[in-house]
């Protein structure tokens, strides 16, 4: 029997020890609040604790994908690579936890299973499970820093339990080293994690089958070590660097051409795109201002990337299968890779089109499709996440009158600013649905949310408020705004996980806010300045 520990009360409970949760804890402690942070992992780090597969790396550059709330931290920490790998990001977050003495208020190996709001006490009761105990704790405020991409979409193929070899999911990789030397391996999925792990496994395995349903747009990272001169140049005026990023659509500063893609000539397109292809990274999406909004403009970039695939992949049939068709570039998350396309030039790598030849089942010896059986020693599932809503709906959250969040979101997520949910007072979500979140540099977005929430709680303390709730009208207006903004872009043109299309039965609703980081920040600041318009404080 699990032992039950006594209930404790805090001013705030935070769920999740990633970028958002750690910063939120630091910020609220600075206000003098009592805080407890729960996380199911063995260490802090959030998604960077769990996603430790070979090749795991951020697709934003190091100096952008880091905190700006403490200038001395910025100056003291030195990144080793242009794009930080998972071990380095995890070291960074552990350094932050130690530097600000956050561990005293963090409870690891503790999964939050439920949260119930009590109208009479205007507080939340949170249920948790640990290795050998269950526990309840209460708090006036509950802050969900659970991350947009933290609930893996587990494979639903029949027969997986009888597979005699080893299988892995990229989002729950073993802590010990996995050796594929001399093995036949299958990787299912070619999203971001699949694209990163496939070249690494190909270098080690005897033979690799890559099972692809939909080809995506992939651009090179051109990752490299960072020199001390580059690091010093940014640190010499880090504030200006951050200011430029703050006023950029993604929360990262990418220079944009002054003309429309439709005004530029084909030769000018090619030159501009080639320069950004050679520089590497997702800045290519910002080459022209109308790429996200005009399909004809978008086609100029999509065709350029398609031409690059034809150049990089030797076998014409394989190149054709790897070439994305039928949706604009950027409508699915653009993947930044290292050596992905050249990997398919290896004699020991085979691409399988599971749209034409679907997976039927996992057998004892491998994978059976409609036409073929592939015998393998190991299977890697790179099948992604139940994004944005999944981590919240995985917890039994009940608001006013006991209504569940699952019931409220049965037709898709509804939030006010992506920060609050009508009917769930004193509950906040960091980088949740209805905010820029996955359409931005998420560290910038989490910091903006953390600061906004902290300033709100300080305002409530100063004015004696106990509870805050988003109004249903304000929430609906925001949902309408999110939909209208997305409809003016190419982002809704693909069956992507932005719409939940990767999860069977999930409502097809475009979830993030597509208006950009600067506009979103201005909206949040205006609402706060107008006495928190759209909220009821009591």
């Amino acid at each position: 029997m699990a032992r039950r520990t006594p209930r404790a009360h805090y001013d705030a409970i935070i769920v999740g020890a990633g970028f958002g949760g750690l910063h939120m804890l630091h910020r609220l402690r600075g206000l003098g609040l009592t805080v407890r942070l729960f996380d199911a992992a063995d260490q802090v780090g959030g998604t960077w604790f769990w996603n430790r597969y070979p090749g795991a790396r951020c697709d934003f550059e190091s100096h952008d994908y880091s905190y700006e709330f403490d200038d001395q931290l910025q100056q003291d920490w030195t990144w080793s690579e242009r794009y930080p790998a998972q071990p380095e990001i995890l070291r960074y977050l552990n350094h932050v936890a130690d530097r600000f003495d956050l561990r005293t208020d963090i409870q690891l190996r503790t999964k939050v299973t439920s949260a119930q709001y009590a109208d009479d006490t205007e507080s939340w009761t949170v249920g948790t499970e640990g290795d050998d105990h269950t526990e309840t704790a209460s708090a006036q405020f509950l802050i969900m820093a659970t991350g947009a991409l933290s609930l893996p979409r587990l494979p639903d193929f029949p027969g997986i339990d009888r597979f005699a070899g080893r299988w892995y999911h990229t989002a729950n990789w073993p802590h010990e080293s996995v050796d594929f030397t001399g093995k036949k391996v299958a990787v299912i999925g070619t999203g971001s994690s699949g694209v990163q792990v496939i070249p690494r496994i190909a270098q080690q395995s005897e033979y690799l089958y890559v099972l692809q349903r939909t080809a995506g747009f992939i651009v090179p990272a051109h990752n490299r070590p960072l020199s001390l001169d580059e690091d010093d140049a940014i640190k010499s005026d880090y504030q200006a660097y951050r200011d430029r990023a703050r006023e950029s659509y993604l929360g990262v500063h990418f220079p944009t051409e002054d003309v429309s893609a439709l005004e530029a000539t084909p030769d000018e397109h090619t030159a501009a795109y080639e320069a950004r292809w050679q520089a590497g990274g997702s800045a290519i999406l910002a080459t022209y201002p109308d790429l996200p909004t005009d399909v004809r403009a978008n086609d100029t970039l999509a065709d350029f990337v398609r031409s690059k695939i034809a150049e990089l992949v030797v076998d014409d049939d394989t190149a054709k299968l790897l070439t994305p068709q039928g949706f604009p570039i950027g409508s699915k998350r653009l993947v930044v890779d290292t050596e992905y396309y050249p990997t398919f030039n290896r004699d020991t790598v085979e691409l399988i089109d599971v749209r034409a030849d679907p997976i039927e089942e996992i057998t004892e010896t491998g994978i059976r499709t409609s036409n073929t059986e592939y015998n393998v020693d190991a299977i890697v599932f790179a099948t992604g996440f139940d994004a944005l809503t999944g981590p919240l709906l995985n917890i039994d959250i009940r608001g006013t009158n006991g209504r569940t969040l699952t019931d409220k979101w049965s037709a898709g997520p509804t939030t006010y600013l992506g920060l609050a949910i009508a009917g769930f007072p004193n509950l906040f979500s960091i980088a949740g649905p209805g905010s820029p979140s996955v359409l931005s540099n998420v560290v910038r977005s989490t910091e903006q949310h953390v600061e906004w929430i902290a300033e709100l709680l300080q305002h409530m303390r100063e004015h004696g408020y106990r509870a805050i709730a988003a109004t249903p009208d304000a929430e609906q207006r925001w949902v309408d705004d999110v939909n209208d903004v997305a409809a003016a872009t190419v982002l809704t043109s693909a069956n992507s996980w932005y719409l939940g299309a990767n999860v069977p039965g999930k409502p097809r609703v475009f979830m993030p806010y597509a208006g950009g980081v600067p506009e979103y920040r201005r909206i949040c600041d205006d609402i706060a300045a107008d006495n928190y318009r759209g909220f009821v404080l009591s």
Side-chain angles (χ1 to χ4, degrees):
M1 291 287 290
R3 60 182 176 85
R4 188 177 298 275
T5 57
R7 174 172 164 176
H9 183 78
Y10 305 93
D11 292 322
I13 288 174
I14 302 168
V15 185
F19 272 97
L22 293 178
H23 185 195
M24 191 81 254
L25 173 58
H26 173 67
R27 190 71 171 82
L28 294 186
R29 289 203 322 191
L31 295 179
L33 274 63
T34 58
V35 190
R36 195 67 167 169
L37 187 155
F38 295 109
D39 196 287
D42 295 337
Q43 294 181 37
V44 303
T47 189
W48 297 108
F49 170 82
W50 298 105
N51 288 263
R52 54 180 68 229
Y53 57 86
R57 187 179 299 278
C58 184
D59 54 4
F60 284 107
E61 296 190 32
S62 303
H63 287 100
D64 289 298
Y65 199 76
S66 56
Y67 289 120
E68 68 167 304
F69 70 83
D70 185 275
D71 184 60
Q72 199 57 50
L73 171 64
Q74 294 185 136
Q75 296 295 328
D76 291 347
W77 184 268
T78 299
W79 294 99
S80 68
E81 293 182 281
R82 181 184 179 192
Y83 292 95
Q86 177 269 337
E88 188 167 21
I89 300 172
L90 189 60
R91 286 196 300 273
Y92 174 73
L93 289 170
N94 274 277
H95 169 77
V96 169
D98 292 331
R99 185 185 187 102
F100 299 104
D101 191 28
L102 301 180
R103 298 186 194 276
T104 55
D105 293 313
I106 297 175
Q107 189 168 322
L108 298 171
R109 294 181 291 279
T110 304
K111 179 182 179 182
V112 171
T113 57
S114 64
Q116 170 75 60
Y117 184 74
D119 293 276
D120 55 346
T121 61
E122 297 173 312
S123 64
W124 286 89
T125 297
V126 174
T128 67
E129 292 179 355
D131 293 338
D132 62 350
H133 70 281
T134 61
E135 180 180 5
T136 59
S138 63
Q140 182 181 359
F141 300 103
L142 176 60
I143 301 168
M144 308 303 293
T146 44
L149 301 173
S150 60
L151 183 66
R153 183 179 176 272
L154 298 175
D156 50 9
F157 305 115
I160 189 169
D161 291 340
R162 66 173 182 265
F163 179 56
R166 293 289 304 273
W167 66 266
Y168 310 89
H169 194 290
T170 50
N172 194 7
W173 200 260
H175 288 207
E176 66 273 10
S177 176
V178 178
D179 187 2
F180 293 112
T181 301
K183 297 184 184 299
K184 293 182 179 179
V185 183
V187 175
I188 300 175
T190 54
S192 294
S193 57
V195 167
Q196 290 184 334
V197 79
I198 284 165
R200 296 289 293 274
I201 294 177
Q203 293 167 8
Q204 194 177 67
S205 60
E206 176 185 316
Y207 202 86
L208 175 63
Y209 299 101
V210 176
L211 287 83
Q212 171 193 270
R213 183 181 62 183
T214 305
F217 286 99
I218 300 164
V219 298
H222 295 315
N223 187 41
R224 54 178 171 73
L226 283 175
S227 70
L228 291 178
D229 287 344
E230 290 175 287
D231 187 57
D232 290 342
I234 291 175
K235 289 178 177 178
S236 66
D237 197 357
Y238 221 142
Q239 190 57 55
Y241 185 90
R242 297 295 195 187
D243 289 343
R244 287 192 297 271
R246 192 178 293 106
E247 290 305 315
S248 300
Y249 180 84
L250 293 176
V252 176
H253 178 61
F254 293 145
T256 301
E257 299 291 327
D258 293 332
V259 299
S260 157
L262 299 178
E263 296 171 336
T265 66
D267 286 346
E268 288 171 336
H269 291 152
T270 300
Y273 295 145
E274 182 66 32
R276 299 206 180 200
W277 180 274
Q278 295 302 327
S282 52
I284 198 168
L285 274 180
T287 307
Y288 295 102
D290 51 347
L291 294 179
T293 56
D294 190 295
V295 173
R296 292 177 303 156
N298 189 280
D299 283 343
T300 65
L301 175 57
D303 289 343
F304 173 83
V305 175
R306 293 183 185 113
S307 71
K308 284 294 186 181
I309 299 170
E311 292 176 11
L312 291 167
V313 180
V314 172
D315 181 75
D316 290 343
D317 291 336
T318 302
K320 185 176 180 180
L321 284 179
L322 288 169
T323 302
Q325 302 288 349
F327 56 91
I329 185 169
S331 58
K332 293 174 180 278
R333 187 175 179 97
L334 184 67
V335 180
V336 179
D337 91 295
T338 299
E339 292 300 309
Y340 181 69
Y341 290 124
T343 294
F344 291 92
N345 296 329
R346 289 174 174 262
D347 294 335
T348 56
V349 176
E350 182 176 344
L351 182 64
I352 299 162
D353 180 9
V354 296
R355 187 176 294 278
D357 187 15
I359 297 172
E360 297 285 344
E361 64 175 340
I362 307 298
T363 68
E364 184 176 349
T365 58
I367 300 168
R368 184 174 67 81
T369 65
S370 297
N371 300 322
T372 310
E373 182 159 351
Y374 300 93
N375 294 326
V376 295
D377 303 300
I379 302 173
V380 174
F381 294 99
T383 46
F385 302 87
D386 184 350
L388 287 157
T389 57
L392 296 169
L393 295 177
N394 196 42
I395 300 170
D396 181 13
I397 300 175
R398 298 172 183 260
T400 299
N401 299 321
R403 187 183 186 187
T404 66
L405 186 60
T406 300
D407 175 58
K408 180 176 172 67
W409 283 2
S410 60
T414 57
T415 72
Y416 186 36
L417 303 175
L419 277 160
I421 305 166
F424 294 76
N426 290 2
L427 173 70
F428 301 99
S429 175
I430 295 178
S435 74
S437 185
V438 293
L439 295 181
S440 69
N441 173 3
V442 75
V443 179
R444 288 290 72 69
S445 290
T446 60
E447 286 200 306
Q448 184 259 332
H449 270 187
V450 165
E451 292 300 328
W452 196 92
I453 293 168
E455 289 168 8
L456 168 60
L457 300 195
Q458 185 173 16
H459 172 83
M460 291 180 68
R461 295 187 86 194
E462 290 172 353
H463 293 82
Y465 293 120
R466 286 284 307 165
I468 182 168
T471 67
D473 286 346
E475 180 180 74
Q476 187 56 54
R477 284 194 299 272
W478 181 250
V479 170
D480 293 342
D481 287 347
V482 169
N483 291 333
D484 290 345
V485 170
T489 73
V490 301
L491 290 167
T492 59
S493 303
N495 286 324
S496 70
W497 56 259
Y498 295 150
L499 293 94
N502 64 318
V503 179
K506 187 169 181 174
R508 297 296 185 266
V509 176
F510 192 81
M511 293 180 284
Y513 174 73
V517 167
E519 178 63 16
Y520 177 79
R521 179 183 290 105
R522 282 189 280 271
I523 292 170
C524 291
D525 290 346
D526 287 346
I527 286 170
D530 193 14
N531 200 29
Y532 294 97
R533 182 177 70 250
F535 290 96
V536 174
L537 292 130
S538 61

